[in-house]
C-alpha cells in the first residue's frame, strides 16, 4: 500500500483524484491540501510515501512548497502535476529533486501507475512534459540570471555587487548584456522579461 498526500488548489480535480486513485491501485490518501502552505504542513505531519503536488497554486506554489519540504524531508518522493510546463520551471523542479512529472490531463490509472513507479525508487517524466524540458530558450548566462534575480528584489548596482561579491563594473556589464539579449531598456524590465519567460 502506498500512502499519498494530494495538493492541488482545484477542489474538483483534487477530490476526483482522492476518490479515484484508491480505486485504481493500492493507494491510501492520507490528506489533501489546497495550497503550498497546507501541502508543506500535511507532508511533514503525515510523512507520505509520495507527495502528489500541483505546480501552480496560489501563495506558495508547488516549487516553493517542495523547496520547504526538502529542508526537513530531503528524501521525500514527489510527483508534480503540471498543465503547461515551461523549461525554466521544469529545470528548477529537477534541481529540487522532483522524481516525477505528469500532465494534469493524465488518466487516473496513469497517475496511479506513476505513483507506484516512484515509490519503487524510479523516476518518471511524461514524454510531452520532457519534450518541453529540453527546449532551453534562455540566452542568458548563469551570472546574468543571478544579477537579474537580485535586481528583481529591488537592490541598487552597489548592493548587488556587495551581495554577489562582484565589482560594480562587472555587475553593470552583466546587466547591460542581459538588457541587450532581452531587448529591454532598463535592468528592471530585463528582470521582468526573464521572470515572464520562466528563466529566473
Amino acid at each position: 500500500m502506498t500512502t499519498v498526500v494530494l495538493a492541488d488548489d482545484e477542489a474538483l480535480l483534487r477530490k476526483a483524484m482522492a476518490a479515484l486513485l484508491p480505486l485504481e491501485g493500492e493507494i491510501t490518501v492520507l490528506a489533501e491540501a489546497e495550497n503550498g502552505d497546507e501541502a508543506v504542513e500535511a507532508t511533514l505531519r503525515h510523512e507520505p510515501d509520495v507527495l502528489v503536488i500541483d505546480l501552480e497554486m496560489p501563495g506558495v506554489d508547488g516549487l516553493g512548497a517542495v523547496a520547504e519540504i526538502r529542508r526537513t524531508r530531503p528524501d521525500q518522493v514527489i510527483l508534480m502535476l503540471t498543465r503547461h510546463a515551461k523549461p525554466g520551471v521544469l529545470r528548477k523542479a529537477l534541481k529540487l529533486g522532483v522524481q516525477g512529472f505528469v500532465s494534469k490531463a493524465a488518466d487516473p490509472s496513469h497517475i496511479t501507475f506513476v505513483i507506484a513507479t516512484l515509490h519503487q525508487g524510479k523516476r518518471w517524466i511524461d514524454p510531452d512534459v520532457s519534450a518541453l524540458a529540453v527546449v532551453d530558450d534562455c540566452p542568458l548566462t548563469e551570472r546574468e540570471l543571478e544579477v537579474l534575480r537580485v535586481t528583481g528584489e529591488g537592490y541598487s548596482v552597489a548592493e548587488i555587487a556587495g551581495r554577489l561579491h562582484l565589482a560594480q563594473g562587472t555587475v553593470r556589464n552583466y546587466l547591460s548584456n542581459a538588457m541587450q539579449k532581452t531587448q529591454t531598456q532598463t535592468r528592471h524590465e530585463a528582470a521582468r522579461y526573464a521572470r515572464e519567460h520562466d528563466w529566473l
Side-chain angles (χ1 to χ4, degrees):
M1 189 62 78
T2 307
T3 59
V4 165
V5 164
L6 289 177
D8 195 311
D9 62 311
E10 291 180 53
L12 190 63
L13 187 72
R14 190 180 70 246
K15 297 284 180 200
M17 276 202 299
L20 293 171
L21 293 182
L23 300 177
E24 295 285 348
E26 302 278 295
I27 288 178
T28 301
V29 177
L30 299 176
E32 295 176 40
E34 61 181 345
N35 57 50
D37 289 322
E38 283 184 18
V40 173
E41 200 240 328
T43 304
L44 298 184
R45 175 154 25 105
H46 295 282
E47 302 188 342
D49 295 321
V50 181
L51 166 63
V52 180
I53 187 167
D54 184 14
L55 176 60
E56 288 153 4
M57 290 187 289
V60 177
D61 67 2
L63 288 178
V66 168
E68 187 65 35
I69 289 162
R70 280 271 175 264
R71 283 196 266 280
T72 310
R73 283 177 63 79
D75 298 325
Q76 175 63 58
V77 176
I78 296 166
L79 171 59
M80 192 158 266
L81 302 177
T82 175
R83 183 161 276 134
H84 34 251
K86 294 177 182 169
V89 173
L90 286 171
R91 281 196 301 277
K92 277 188 218 165
L94 287 168
K95 275 184 189 163
L96 285 170
V98 171
Q99 291 92 340
F101 290 94
V102 170
S103 164
K104 282 184 91 162
D107 197 83
S109 61
H110 177 62
I111 295 174
T112 304
F113 162 75
V114 175
I115 289 170
T117 302
L118 299 187
H119 190 208
Q120 289 162 12
K122 298 172 188 161
R123 292 176 170 271
W124 182 278
I125 301 180
D126 271 357
D128 53 340
V129 176
S130 65
L132 287 168
V134 296
V135 178
D136 190 352
D137 56 351
C138 178
L140 303 170
T141 66
E142 277 301 321
R143 272 306 204 182
E144 288 161 2
L145 289 169
E146 198 175 13
V147 168
L148 285 183
R149 206 169 283 126
V150 182
T151 291
E153 293 166 15
Y155 292 103
S156 68
V157 169
E159 287 169 324
I160 294 168
R163 287 175 72 89
L164 298 180
H165 310 293
L166 297 169
Q168 289 187 37
T170 307
V171 170
R172 285 197 188 90
N173 284 343
Y174 286 140
L175 290 171
S176 170
N177 290 344
M179 282 153 51
Q180 279 180 329
K181 289 176 182 178
T182 55
Q183 298 180 323
T184 51
Q185 300 299 312
T186 69
R187 59 197 175 97
H188 295 291
E189 281 177 25
R192 185 162 54 245
Y193 184 94
R195 251 196 318 278
E196 284 167 359
H197 286 75
D198 280 308
W199 297 337
L200 291 183

